[in-house]
Amino acid sequence: MAASLTGLLKPWTPRVLLVRWSRYNPYYLEPEPRKEVYHIPETELTPEQKEERELKSVRPIKAATNSVTSSVFNDPVLSKFVNMMMKDGDKIIAKGIITQTLENMKRKQVEKYHKAPEGKKAEIECNPYAIFHQALENCKPVIGLASIQKGGKFYQVPIPLTDNRRRFLAMKWMITECRDNKHRRTLMYEKLSQELLAAFSKEGNVVKRKHELHKMAESNRAYAHYRWW
Amino acid sequence: SFENRLAFRWFWLPEPVRPLHGSGCGQQQEAVGMEMRPETFSIFRTQENDPDCQSEQHQGQYYTVPPSHFHTVFPHGLPPRYQQQVKTFNEGCVMVRQPALELISHLKRADYSKPTLRYLLYGVKGSGKTMSLCHTVHYCSTQGWLVLHIPDAHLWVKNCKELLPSSYHASRFDQPIQASNWLRNFRTTNENFLSKIKLRQRYVWTKRESTEEGQPLGELVDMGVSRVKSSSDVVGAVLKELRLQAGGTEGGFRLAVAVDGVNGLWGRTTLKKEDKSPVAPEELTLVHNLRKMINNDWCGGAVIATLSQTGSLYAPSSAYLPQELLGEEGFDSMDPFIPVPVSLYSEKEFESCYLYYLDRHWLQHPHSQTEEGKKELIFLSNRNPSVLERLCAFL
C-alpha cells in the first residue's frame, strides 16, 4: 500500500514532457520566501499559523522559482519589467541592462545634485527606484481603446483598463520605444535611462504616446455606448 | 543622526591636535581646523590630506586628493570605475588602508644608497591593490620623487593593432601607439623634472635626427610624442637615463617605478607576427626595457608593483598568489621582493565605506539605509571592495 501511495506522490505528472510549464501534484505546498514569517517566536503564533507550520513539516514543498528572493531589495514591479525585457530566456542580460540603467540614472542625478547650489538640492530626486516608479506612473494610460464590431464595421471604442493592463502597456511602450527609436550606436541602458528621466519629468516619446491614446479615446467618445461590459 | 549613533558604537576619538613628526603636519592641522565645518565631525573622513602625515590612527578614514593634484599625478593609472566615481561625487577620496601605510613607512626608512627594493602588492580580485598603488604614487609625488607609473603592463602585451619591427634591434617589435600615449602621460606627471635632467649620451634616431648630450629630458620626450615611429626606442632611452641618474649625488632625485599588473611582463602574449607565430614578451621593446628597470641593479629609488589577474592572459581566475601569477621566470626575476598582502575590508573599513556612500548620497534604496540592508550588503559582497562598489552602484 505504501508503494502505491508513493507512486501517486510524483511531483510532476508528465504525460507529455513539458519544458516551460511546471505541473506539480496538488499535494505539494507553496514555498514561503518572506523572512518575517520565520522570525515570529513560538508563543506569538495564532492557532492557524501553528497548524500551517505542522502541515508544512509533513507535506512536500514545491521548489522556489529563480525570481523569488527573501532579499529586502526585491521589487515585484522591477522583476516584471526585467521579465518583459528578457529575450530567449536570458535573464542575466536583461537584469544586467536594468542594473546598468539604474546606476546610470543615479549617476546623472547625483552628479547634478553635487553641482547644484544649496537651494536647488532638495528638488533633485536621486533615488533611481523612485524615478523608475514615478516614470512608469506617468506613462500609464487611464483609458484604452478596443476594436468592437458593430454592423459589419469595426469601431475603436474607449474602454476602462485594469491596473495590470495599464502597467503592462506602460512597460511595453517604454521597451519598444527604447528598442526602436534610438541611434544605432547607443546602448540600451543609455537610452532607457534617458527615457525614464524624461518620463519622470513628463516629457519624452512615451508620455507623448500616452497622450495621443487619450486624445483618440476622447475623440471617439460617441462610440462609448458600443461597450456592453 | 545615523552617523552619531555609529560614532558612539565605535568609540573613535577625534584626532589629537598635537604636532606629528615633520614640520608641515602640525601647521596644516591648525590651518585646516579653521575650515572644518562646525557640524558633526565625520568618522570616515580625515582632514589629513598629506600622505606623509598619515598614520595608523587614520586607518579606515577617507582623505581627499586635492583637485589641483588630480590631473597631474593621475592622468592614467586609476581604475576606470573609480574615475567614474570621482566624476560623480565631484571629489576624489581615497581610503587610508594598512598595505599603503606599510609601503609608505618602508619608503620613508629605506636606504637609497643600496640597490633598489622591490615591493609587490598581491591579493584576491578586487581587494584594492591598484588603489593602494595609487595612494603610494600620490605619496611619492608629494615628496618630490620622479614617478614612472605604468597603468597596466597587460595593455602592452595584448590588443596591439600596429606592431612594427624595431629599427634598433632586428628581432624585436615596436608598439608606437602605446609608447607615445605613455610618454604623453609621463610628460604630464613629471613636468618639473623634464627641464632639470640632462642627457648623458647622444642618441641617433635616423640619418638626420639625433639628440645630443646635455639636452634636457623634455626634448627627448617631446620627440618621442611627435615622432611616433621611434617612440618605443625613446621610452627605452628615457628609462636608461633615469636609471643612470637616479641615485646621483649631484641634483639627485628619487625614482619610483610603479607598475600595475607586473605579471604581464612574463608569460605569454596574444600578439602574433605576420607568419602567425606567437610573439614572446621579451621580443617587445617596451617589455624588454621595462624588465631592465625592474631589476635591482640600480639605486636611488624603489619599484612598487601590483599583480593583477583581471587583465592577465592565460591565467586561471582563482589565481592571486605571486608564485601562480608571475610564473617561474617572473618569480626568479622579481626575487628577492617584499610582499605586501592586500586583504578585503575589515569591519571598521567596511563601516567607513558604508558611511562614505551614505554621505555622498550614493546609497539611495530606502532599505539599504537600514541595519538589515547593511547585513545583506555584507553577506552579498563578503566585504570585497570592488563587489561592494558594484552592488551599491545600483542600490
Side-chain angles (χ1 to χ4, degrees):
Chain A
M1 187 168 118
S4 57
L5 269 181
T6 44
L8 290 170
L9 266 185
K10 280 202 286 276
W12 286 277
T13 49
R15 287 282 290 275
V16 182
L17 277 172
L18 302 167
V19 179
R20 287 292 174 80
W21 310 343
S22 70
R23 184 147 178 331
Y24 270 104
N25 189 318
Y27 197 59
Y28 279 64
L29 302 172
E30 294 287 334
E32 178 60 71
R34 295 169 302 166
K35 277 190 274 202
E36 307 81 56
V37 171
Y38 299 109
H39 287 320
I40 311 173
E42 286 287 329
T43 45
E44 287 177 28
L45 292 174
T46 60
E48 291 92 15
Q49 280 173 328
K50 283 199 185 121
E51 228 184 276
E52 207 184 303
R53 277 213 185 169
E54 279 173 25
L55 188 63
K56 285 212 164 176
S57 62
V58 284
R59 288 261 202 114
I61 305 191
K62 295 185 197 176
T65 52
N66 277 336
S67 48
V68 160
T69 34
S70 60
S71 157
V72 287
F73 303 120
N74 190 21
D75 189 355
V77 178
L78 208 63
S79 309
K80 191 56 94 177
F81 195 74
V82 170
N83 287 338
M84 282 187 65
M85 190 172 276
M86 180 165 60
K87 275 190 182 175
D88 296 330
D90 210 337
K91 199 179 283 222
I92 303 178
I93 297 187
K95 185 91 177 106
I97 294 174
I98 301 290
T99 45
Q100 283 172 324
T101 313
L102 293 169
E103 184 189 334
N104 201 331
M105 281 200 293
K106 190 162 60 148
R107 248 181 233 283
K108 286 184 192 167
Q109 294 295 98
V110 170
E111 214 179 312
K112 243 195 319 193
Y113 181 93
H114 284 305
K115 292 196 176 137
E118 285 299 330
K120 299 280 169 80
K121 283 199 181 189
E123 295 161 2
I124 302 178
E125 174 64 62
C126 293
N127 186 352
Y129 295 85
I131 298 177
F132 175 75
H133 286 125
Q134 186 57 44
L136 220 56
E137 277 299 323
N138 292 348
C139 295
K140 282 186 187 172
V142 172
I143 193 168
L145 290 173
S147 191
I148 294 187
Q149 188 186 24
K150 191 102 175 172
K153 268 173 66 173
F154 287 88
Y155 298 96
Q156 293 293 322
V157 175
I159 54 160
L161 297 171
T162 57
D163 254 338
N164 278 343
R165 178 75 187 158
R166 293 169 65 210
R167 190 183 65 173
F168 170 78
L169 280 175
M171 291 189 191
K172 189 79 183 173
W173 289 342
M174 182 65 77
I175 294 175
T176 37
E177 162 70 36
C178 291
R179 280 183 184 160
D180 301 336
N181 295 357
K182 61 177 164 81
H183 182 60
R184 183 180 63 90
R185 295 288 296 246
T186 12
L187 296 171
M188 184 68 178
Y189 72 87
E190 179 61 48
K191 174 72 181 175
L192 236 191
S193 58
Q194 283 167 7
E195 276 303 326
L196 284 170
L197 283 169
F200 179 70
S201 37
K202 298 207 177 122
E203 304 152 348
N205 287 347
V206 194
V207 290
K208 201 168 89 166
R209 187 167 171 177
K210 172 189 90 157
H211 288 320
E212 275 166 15
L213 180 67
H214 285 180
K215 278 184 215 156
M216 277 290 285
E218 182 61 36
S219 65
N220 284 5
R221 270 177 75 140
Y223 301 126
H225 63 283
Y226 284 172
R227 179 175 66 94
W228 62 85
W229 62 89
Chain B
S1 80
F2 195 73
E3 277 184 32
N4 281 336
R5 272 187 273 130
L6 278 173
F8 293 122
R9 265 222 340 243
W10 279 113
F11 310 114
W12 284 10
L13 305 168
E15 294 155 15
V17 195
R18 56 177 167 75
L20 301 165
H21 66 274
S23 55
C25 312
Q27 282 136 21
Q28 231 185 31
Q29 287 232 4
E30 286 159 25
V32 163
M34 309 288 279
E35 335 170 316
M36 244 167 72
R37 290 170 288 187
E39 309 155 7
T40 53
F41 73 96
S42 14
I43 322 169
F44 58 89
R45 269 194 215 271
T46 170
Q47 304 298 329
E48 194 62 75
N49 289 342
D50 186 10
D52 194 13
C53 305
Q54 284 159 0
S55 61
E56 281 82 30
Q57 65 178 115
H58 298 115
Q59 242 185 55
Q61 294 183 319
Y62 280 87
Y63 81 95
T64 325
V65 178
S68 49
H69 283 189
F70 221 80
H71 294 286
T72 38
V73 181
F74 298 123
H76 54 182
L78 288 173
R81 280 197 79 93
Y82 182 74
Q83 282 172 356
Q84 280 182 323
Q85 184 183 298
V86 167
K87 186 163 162 262
T88 313
F89 294 168
N90 223 12
E91 62 173 12
C93 282
V94 180
M95 195 196 267
V96 175
R97 290 184 77 192
Q98 193 272 331
L101 283 174
E102 194 184 316
L103 258 181
I104 292 174
S105 69
H106 284 314
L107 289 174
K108 281 182 196 167
R109 290 182 299 198
D111 184 358
Y112 290 105
S113 53
K114 304 257 174 60
T116 41
L117 286 169
R118 276 115 33 120
Y119 306 92
L120 190 64
L121 288 158
Y122 70 96
V124 285
K125 187 165 155 173
S127 54
K129 306 180 280 285
T130 310
M131 286 310 293
S132 300
L133 186 74
C134 293
H135 187 171
T136 323
V137 160
H138 185 217
Y139 165 77
C140 293
S141 54
T142 46
Q143 294 295 302
W145 294 31
L146 206 164
V147 171
L148 225 80
H149 190 37
I150 288 105
D152 196 356
H154 293 300
L155 295 175
W156 290 354
V157 299
K158 59 180 178 176
N159 296 343
C160 182
K161 299 276 160 64
E162 283 182 20
L163 208 61
L164 302 172
S166 163
S167 44
Y168 183 70
H169 199 278
S171 62
R172 285 200 217 133
F173 292 93
D174 268 359
Q175 286 154 302
I177 319 173
Q178 275 90 338
S180 51
N181 276 341
W182 184 80
L183 277 172
R184 213 171 296 136
N185 290 327
F186 174 74
R187 192 170 51 183
T188 331
T189 326
N190 301 306
E191 291 281 1
N192 43 340
F193 283 101
L194 294 178
S195 41
K196 286 191 216 156
I197 302 174
K198 306 281 183 235
L199 301 177
R200 284 193 189 161
Q201 202 194 318
R202 184 167 179 267
Y203 295 100
V204 180
W205 306 117
T206 53
K207 268 186 258 178
R208 268 161 269 176
E209 280 170 29
S210 65
T211 322
E212 302 300 326
E213 212 178 302
Q215 297 273 2
L217 194 67
E219 250 193 57
L220 195 59
V221 176
D222 288 329
M223 220 218 68
V225 173
S226 47
R227 297 266 178 278
V228 182
K229 272 210 160 138
S230 44
S231 48
S232 318
D233 294 321
V234 168
V235 170
V238 163
L239 292 181
K240 185 167 158 192
E241 284 295 318
L242 293 174
R243 215 170 37 232
L244 289 172
Q245 297 191 21
T249 39
E250 67 311 313
F253 55 89
R254 292 207 189 138
L255 181 61
V257 181
V259 189
D260 205 329
V262 75
N263 49 319
L265 298 177
W266 298 278
R268 293 156 67 183
T269 68
T270 43
L271 305 174
K272 291 205 174 28
K273 297 179 209 163
E274 273 159 11
D275 53 354
K276 313 273 177 147
S277 59
V279 175
E282 41 284 341
E283 290 175 21
L284 294 166
T285 345
L286 289 172
V287 173
H288 182 85
N289 290 319
L290 196 56
R291 280 196 199 178
K292 283 198 264 184
M293 209 62 192
I294 297 186
N295 276 339
N296 56 351
D297 50 5
W298 51 283
C299 53
V303 175
I304 313 155
T306 318
L307 291 178
S308 165
Q309 196 281 329
T310 325
S312 69
L313 301 161
Y314 307 104
S317 57
S318 55
Y320 71 96
L321 294 168
Q323 186 86 30
E324 297 162 347
L325 281 176
L326 285 172
E328 274 208 42
E329 204 195 324
F331 198 88
D332 291 331
S333 326
M334 285 294 285
D335 209 13
F337 60 84
I338 300 177
V340 182
V342 182
S343 58
L344 305 175
Y345 278 158
S346 63
E347 285 186 15
K348 193 162 140 183
E349 288 169 339
F350 181 87
E351 283 290 334
S352 182
C353 185
Y354 182 76
L355 287 173
Y356 176 63
Y357 285 148
L358 279 178
D359 171 68
R360 291 277 95 198
H361 298 269
W362 193 232
L363 284 173
Q364 286 286 330
H365 198 286
H367 279 283
S368 66
Q369 288 152 10
T370 59
E371 276 300 317
E372 271 185 40
K374 204 166 102 172
K375 278 194 225 163
E376 190 157 331
L377 280 176
I378 299 181
F379 174 72
L380 286 172
S381 64
N382 194 21
R383 294 213 184 88
N384 183 316
S386 69
V387 174
L388 177 68
E389 197 264 313
R390 274 169 204 268
L391 272 179
C392 295
F394 62 85
L395 280 179

